[in-house]
Amino acid sequence: MAGVSRSSVAAAVLIAVWLLESAAAVWIDLPEKGTKCVSEEIQPNVVVLADYAIMFEGNAYNHPTMAVKVTSPYGNTLHHKENATVGQFAFTTSEAGNYLACFWIDNEVKGGANVNIDWKIGIAAKDWDSVARKEKIEGVELELRKLEAAVEAIHNNLLYLKAREAEMREVCERTNARVAWFSIMSLGVCIAVSVLQSWHLQGYFRKKKLI
């Protein structure tokens, strides 16, 4: 029993670590002119934490700076910073959809630059060191707490996906119903036009005494 218990705990710890390390680190190339954006589809009530930094090889006195703007799916500005070389933004999502982070160079520098963005979403954004100090837990107990949070996040994500599936199914059903009614109306119009054309041609032929 002890061996089984230890292997189960080890598997649970590995799953928790894998889920916690699923934060996305992204590199993007910024041109001299133009904007580069990254997006992430996130459900409501999720904590988002991101660090960003500009990397540039060249003269330290001619270092590029960038502007950063983060917007919600409805276009609300969540973070806006100019003349930045490093920075961080954090927020809790209030609506589901694609959250957009856009970057562009905002000073006169020849050549582009690279930007490193470290996205952390949900349990990956949680400060587990603070949790461990506050609740005085460590080792396997801490990893099990992480696993519990990961399972809860997965459950919430499944509920969100189920709701999205139901919403999409309802939209498809409404669309199919509209297409069906449109097809029936189109068929009715075609039949009516055919009858009118036949009636008109019969009248024309009678008038010309062709029939």
Side-chain angles (χ1 to χ4, degrees), residues 13-175:
V13 169
L14 288 174
I15 294 172
V17 170
W18 178 78
L19 288 168
L20 288 170
E21 290 180 349
S22 62
V26 181
W27 284 89
I28 59 175
D29 296 324
L30 287 184
E32 292 183 36
K33 304 292 182 181
T35 302
K36 287 287 187 73
C37 298
V38 294
S39 66
E40 187 76 24
E41 185 175 356
I42 313 173
Q43 65 189 64
N45 302 317
V46 173
V47 176
V48 178
L49 175 66
D51 296 285
Y52 55 86
I54 192 168
M55 306 296 176
F56 177 73
E57 295 181 1
N59 192 338
Y61 297 99
N62 194 27
H63 198 287
T65 60
M66 62 181 172
V68 184
K69 187 176 183 180
V70 182
T71 55
S72 72
Y74 293 157
N76 300 317
T77 300
L78 304 174
H79 175 78
H80 187 202
K81 188 175 182 181
E82 297 179 349
N83 299 320
T85 55
V86 295
Q88 183 185 81
F89 57 83
F91 56 88
T92 300
T93 59
S94 59
E95 56 210 40
N98 281 319
Y99 285 78
L100 194 66
C102 293
F103 303 80
W104 64 93
I105 294 177
D106 61 355
N107 63 348
E108 297 295 332
V109 175
K110 291 184 178 180
N114 295 322
V115 176
N116 176 256
I117 312 159
D118 185 17
W119 283 83
K120 294 179 181 178
I121 302 172
I123 60 172
K126 194 169 185 178
D127 189 353
W128 290 104
D129 292 334
S130 297
V131 173
R133 288 194 300 269
K134 183 178 179 180
E135 300 186 13
K136 297 180 180 179
I137 56 177
E138 60 182 8
V140 174
E141 188 177 0
L142 177 60
E143 298 302 328
L144 289 175
R145 180 65 61 85
K146 293 179 182 180
L147 178 61
E148 181 183 1
V151 170
E152 183 179 358
I154 292 172
H155 177 69
N156 292 334
N157 192 48
L158 289 175
L159 292 177
Y160 169 71
L161 292 175
K162 185 178 180 181
R164 286 291 302 273
E165 181 186 2
E167 181 182 349
M168 292 299 297
R169 184 168 59 249
E170 183 180 353
V171 170
C172 289
E173 290 174 355
R174 288 202 305 263
T175 302

